[in-house]
Amino acid sequence: MCGIIGYIGNNPAVPILVRGLQRLEYRGYDSAGVAVIEDGKLYRVRGKGKVSGLAARLAEGHLGSTIGMGHTRWATHGEPSETNAHPHVSDDGASMVVHNGIIENHYVLRQQLQARGYIFTSETDTEIVAHLIQDEYQGSLLQAVKNALRRVQGTYGLVVMHVDHPRELIAARRGSPMVLGVGEDETWVASDVAAFLRLTDKVIYLEDDDVVQVTHQGFAIDTLADERVERLMHQIEWEADAVELRGYPHYMLQEIFIQPETITNALRGRVVASEGMAHLGGLDMVIDRLKKAHHIVIIACGTSYYAGLYGQYVLEKLTDLVVEVEIASELRYRNTTLRPGTVVLAISQSGETADTIAAMREMERKGALLLGLVNVVGSTITRMTEAGVYNHAGTEIGVASTKIFTSQCCILTLIALLLGRFKHLSVTDGMEIVAGLEKLPAQIAAVLDQAEHIRAIATSYAQFDNYLFIGRKYNYPIALEGALKLKEISYVHAEGCAAGEMKHGFLAMIDERFPTLCLATKDTTYEKTLSNMQEIKSRKGPLIAIATEGDTEITSITNDVIYTPPNLDFLQPIPAVVALQLFAYYFAIERNCEIDQPRNLAKSVTVE
Ligand code: F6R
């Protein structure tokens, strides 16, 4: 979750590190720190809070240094504070470490090191690594780091500097991503490529157990087993406007408003209207195995999991596949039996989510074909899968996922169309689905046009602290996602439930202080959802409805209605969720909440 950057080259390191950390801040933002080597001495500046605070303290000093590293933290062991902020220093003050991941045997190692006289100044697991390096150091930093890491269990992406090696950085990875950016006479090591956005387009992704020695002359990669290895150099294409705000006050709002474009990108070149068919080039190489598959297991976390739930309904409607959706972090606790030819589809925005990766490893062990639906090109999940589909939705910066969710839903429908057309789905049904998909960008734009109306509703409800979101069938995952968006960025209590499940318990919470958002678009479940709304109204619960344009019946139950355009029943939820995203955004604005970096969360969840 934490962001890491290291730099070695001919340019002043501090501004490069600070800019890199600002770009990585979406990974964690409770504290930050930078260390450089200058005139043969190690300097470190750390502090609680955001990188901007750190930048102000760094503005004046250490501009002569051309080697350094930085870290932005999402606390695991030890509260956010200056003493727990990285870089962490060894007992003798000679080496420093920035780290992402969790040292699982930290307790035992800490006791061993303390028994040998090492003094700990923080509550972090990372400090152990700094002391271990000192413990192992005999003149070679590379060897000391390797030996230290051999004593460590758990996950790490880390960078190390040593005062006696002023022209050398060591970086290593196990379970947490690390990437090298290779420039002319300069090299970056970072937890992801955003750290050196547009500074170089040549990157090398480290693999688990790789240890890289970076100097002003270049780099060499070894494995922990002391083998020299070459890793493939990739050329990445920076999107011109990848992480710009484009005049919006927050990334989340920019990402909500860009959805007509991201849906267009998700569909571009992937539908054949005349054949009512989808074409997903990323799946071509496994298409024969896909045609034979009977069973698909979708694994994901959070918002991506809710997209998976939506995908389950659509895949079950359009194909004859048996579809299961699993929360990645729970899958490992189950004794799952995979039928021959099971396909596992991992859904992940970042492609780095530790729980999803761990579940994929389990599934791979059991013989599944691994596929991915991922946004971040070159991320760990894309490298673990045999084939997959990219969102092509650009970097998502706001911690609360928005544009990727709609893109995931859209692509899952494309996958369902593709697989359905291989089996029983007719060309005319296929054509109808393609036409429905192609309407989505304009339909989302129509919801965005109602931003002021949605803002007015959100503002008038901002006094309430508890919310229920209900929906049936395709709208059930949307209810879950709507509740997640609201709680993530405004910290109010919000629960999503299947509307039919409401009477089995949730209804007990309803009174005049407990509003419900109802997904009541026109589909086969409409009448039943309306009955649920009546039940809430009878108990004086305030109601907001997301309904289909032209529905006048709904206004007999509530006047707070957001209308979305009609489409095929399983496509209507996509514009509907955009209304909920805007509701959450304006609600949080009204309550003066942090939007893009909500407390306690991080964008890329690389710890289990
Ligand atoms: C919620 C959100 C998270 C992520 C989850 C999985 O807005 O963003 O729930 O969906 O952490 O992340 P990815 O999709 O990167 O695997």
Side-chain angles (χ1 to χ4, degrees):
M1 334 260 283
C2 309
I4 292 179
I5 179 169
Y7 172 79
I8 187 162
N10 295 326
N11 291 304
V14 166
I16 291 174
L17 296 174
V18 169
R19 191 72 197 103
L21 285 182
Q22 281 165 337
R23 292 204 165 106
L24 291 175
E25 213 168 14
Y26 71 93
R27 298 178 71 97
Y29 35 80
D30 58 44
S31 49
V34 156
V36 294
I37 301 178
E38 194 179 8
D39 300 330
K41 291 200 185 97
L42 263 171
Y43 292 95
R44 165 175 75 159
V45 180
R46 304 180 293 169
K48 190 176 166 182
K50 304 230 164 130
V51 175
S52 50
L54 183 77
R57 290 168 61 200
L58 279 163
E60 304 294 316
H62 310 303
L63 288 178
S65 173
T66 57
I67 175 170
M69 62 192 190
H71 186 271
T72 176
R73 179 169 185 249
W74 184 86
T76 57
H77 296 62
E79 62 172 1
S81 66
E82 178 160 347
T83 44
N84 287 332
H86 300 215
H88 286 286
V89 65
S90 57
D91 208 21
D92 60 1
S95 61
M96 287 198 191
V97 180
V98 290
H99 164 232
N100 175 25
I102 291 183
I103 307 300
E104 284 166 3
N105 57 341
H106 71 101
Y107 182 73
V108 176
L109 288 174
R110 184 181 270 254
Q111 287 196 321
Q112 285 171 3
L113 288 162
Q114 274 170 337
R116 300 183 47 200
Y118 283 89
I119 307 288
F120 281 78
T121 57
S122 80
E123 302 158 88
T124 65
D125 50 341
T126 303
E127 193 180 351
I128 286 153
V129 182
H131 295 326
L132 282 178
I133 290 168
Q134 175 182 338
D135 211 45
E136 295 288 346
Y137 185 70
Q138 291 180 353
S140 160
L141 181 58
L142 177 64
Q143 210 47 55
V145 172
K146 283 184 186 171
N147 288 345
L149 293 180
R150 288 180 187 127
R151 291 165 67 180
V152 155
Q153 286 161 17
T155 57
Y156 51 77
L158 53 79
V159 184
V160 182
M161 289 191 328
H162 194 288
V163 70
D164 294 338
H165 301 258
R167 300 173 70 77
E168 180 177 348
L169 287 176
I170 306 290
R173 122 162 223 168
R174 181 188 290 162
S176 290
M178 286 300 289
V179 57
L180 281 183
V182 183
E184 292 283 319
D185 304 324
E186 55 188 347
T187 309
W188 294 258
V189 283
S191 48
D192 72 68
V193 295
F196 45 84
L197 182 80
R198 292 195 207 101
L199 295 174
T200 177
D201 58 0
K202 293 191 191 64
V203 304
I204 292 175
Y205 297 98
L206 294 189
E207 301 199 354
D208 277 352
D209 289 343
D210 282 356
V211 183
V212 59
Q213 181 184 43
V214 189
T215 65
H216 284 82
Q217 278 72 48
F219 60 89
I221 307 174
D222 286 353
T223 66
L224 262 192
D226 279 331
E227 266 173 75
R228 178 60 44 96
V229 284
E230 300 279 333
R231 300 286 177 222
L232 220 58
M233 175 100 74
H234 298 261
Q235 182 116 13
I236 48 172
E237 285 174 28
W238 298 113
E239 290 158 60
D241 58 352
V243 287
E244 307 301 339
L245 267 170
R246 297 188 191 178
Y248 287 94
H250 299 102
Y251 283 107
M252 182 178 177
L253 193 64
Q254 192 258 82
E255 286 157 5
I256 292 173
F257 269 83
I258 207 170
Q259 288 176 105
E261 211 176 293
T262 49
I263 294 296
T264 304
N265 288 347
L267 296 174
R268 182 170 291 120
R270 289 173 169 173
V271 285
V272 189
S274 58
E275 292 169 31
M277 190 54 182
H279 176 239
L280 296 160
L283 299 181
D284 278 352
M285 60 200 284
V286 293
I287 207 73
D288 290 334
R289 286 153 82 188
L290 271 178
K291 282 181 191 169
K292 288 187 207 133
H294 295 293
H295 186 196
I296 179 159
V297 181
I298 298 176
I299 51 180
C301 304
T303 286
S304 296
Y305 169 73
Y306 295 148
L309 271 185
Y310 167 85
Q312 179 183 36
Y313 281 96
V314 181
L315 279 156
E316 284 177 352
K317 182 180 172 79
L318 303 185
T319 74
D320 60 355
L321 288 165
V322 177
V323 189
E324 288 173 79
V325 193
E326 304 286 349
I327 292 174
S329 58
E330 283 297 313
L331 190 60
R332 60 172 53 179
Y333 306 125
R334 301 192 27 219
N335 295 336
T336 41
T337 307
L338 297 190
R339 298 158 214 210
T342 296
V343 173
V344 164
L345 176 65
I347 307 179
S348 175
Q349 185 288 126
S350 60
E352 301 294 353
T353 302
D355 289 321
T356 307
I357 291 170
M360 288 170 72
R361 292 213 170 99
E362 272 303 309
M363 294 290 101
E364 190 175 31
R365 195 169 294 129
K366 291 179 178 170
L369 165 66
L370 293 188
L371 305 180
L373 168 50
V374 176
N375 188 44
V376 177
V377 176
S379 54
T380 303
I381 290 180
T382 65
R383 284 177 287 119
M384 286 174 71
T385 45
E386 272 193 54
V389 187
Y390 279 120
N391 293 95
H392 294 312
T395 312
E396 191 177 61
I397 300 282
V399 165
S401 182
T402 52
K403 64 176 180 177
I404 300 304
F405 178 74
T406 50
S407 169
Q408 287 166 338
C409 291
C410 184
I411 292 171
L412 284 162
T413 306
L414 286 175
I415 294 174
L417 173 63
L418 175 77
L419 301 182
R421 289 283 287 119
F422 285 136
K423 306 266 171 95
H424 66 285
L425 203 65
S426 70
V427 64
T428 46
D429 279 1
M431 287 163 84
E432 204 183 1
I433 293 164
V434 170
L437 283 166
E438 284 180 333
K439 281 185 203 155
L440 286 175
Q443 295 197 329
I444 290 173
V447 175
L448 297 172
D449 285 345
Q450 300 177 65
E452 278 313 308
H453 169 59
I454 297 171
R455 179 183 204 137
I457 295 181
T459 306
S460 69
Y461 277 81
Q463 47 173 313
F464 299 111
D465 294 326
N466 295 288
Y467 282 85
L468 186 63
F469 286 66
I470 59 168
R472 285 173 184 262
K473 205 173 172 183
Y474 310 112
N475 275 327
Y476 166 47
I478 305 305
L480 297 174
E481 172 60 6
L484 180 62
K485 286 294 86 90
L486 190 63
K487 63 188 150 200
E488 274 183 296
I489 59 167
S490 50
Y491 322 139
V492 296
H493 166 227
E495 293 197 42
C497 96
E501 192 65 9
M502 197 182 73
K503 57 190 174 293
H504 299 293
F506 293 86
L507 203 52
M509 300 188 291
I510 297 299
D511 64 16
E512 62 279 5
R513 302 281 313 153
F514 206 124
T516 303
L517 278 99
C518 311
L519 278 303
T521 47
K522 277 273 164 83
D523 61 19
T524 50
T525 68
Y526 174 74
E527 300 298 341
K528 285 201 165 53
T529 307
L530 235 52
S531 302
N532 295 130
M533 291 177 68
Q534 294 286 10
E535 289 155 13
I536 293 167
K537 192 176 177 185
S538 313
R539 285 147 185 98
K540 298 196 168 41
L543 285 162
I544 304 169
I546 314 295
T548 304
E549 272 166 18
D551 180 357
T552 47
E553 191 180 350
I554 201 111
T555 51
S556 65
I557 307 178
T558 177
N559 288 324
D560 291 328
V561 183
I562 303 165
Y563 284 108
T564 58
N567 203 330
L568 297 174
D569 54 359
F570 56 88
L571 294 178
Q572 293 187 128
I574 298 179
V577 79
V578 175
L580 298 185
Q581 294 167 351
L582 283 173
F583 178 84
Y585 174 80
Y586 289 122
F587 186 95
I589 290 283
E590 188 58 22
R591 290 176 70 122
N592 281 323
C593 295
E594 185 87 36
I595 300 291
D596 288 329
Q597 296 175 337
R599 69 181 183 204
N600 305 340
L601 300 179
K603 185 76 185 156
S604 186
V605 187
T606 55
V607 293
E608 287 179 35

